[in-house]
Amino acid sequence: MLETSEDEALFAIAHVRQGKVIDLDEELSLSAAKISKDHKIPMADSIIYATNLKYNCILWTQDKHFAGLNSVNYFEK
């Protein structure tokens, strides 16, 4: 079992709280469905990628489903 100190736990919580929760609304869902169909990737990955595009981000991943897509830095495992 992995154990951490209270300071390490508080540090992790502080980082999580810096994030932003994005609602999976109709627009994002439809975009993800189109991406899933066009790029032949699983729906969950399509939701991640659609969110990435909507918010003009760079996605860093080792998931091969994202290899070759715009705005993605893919690193092979």
Side-chain angles (χ1 to χ4, degrees):
M1 183 163 108
L2 179 66
E3 293 186 27
T4 60
S5 70
E6 183 177 352
D7 286 341
E8 290 172 320
L10 291 172
F11 182 78
I13 291 168
H15 274 57
V16 169
R17 288 186 176 163
Q18 290 179 14
K20 180 178 180 181
V21 175
I22 305 296
D23 289 329
L24 181 56
D25 58 15
E26 183 178 352
E27 175 190 357
L28 196 54
S29 298
L30 292 172
S31 178
K34 183 174 181 349
I35 288 168
S36 181
K37 180 181 176 189
D38 292 349
H39 296 285
K40 310 268 190 281
I41 60 177
M43 191 62 184
D45 289 346
S46 297
I47 292 168
I48 292 168
Y49 189 57
T51 304
N52 181 63
L53 294 176
K54 181 176 181 176
Y55 290 93
N56 196 30
C57 301
I58 296 175
L59 178 63
W60 295 76
T61 185
Q62 290 184 312
D63 185 331
K64 65 183 176 182
H65 293 122
F66 295 101
L69 296 177
N70 292 332
S71 301
V72 173
N73 286 340
Y74 168 72
F75 295 90
E76 192 171 347
K77 291 182 180 180

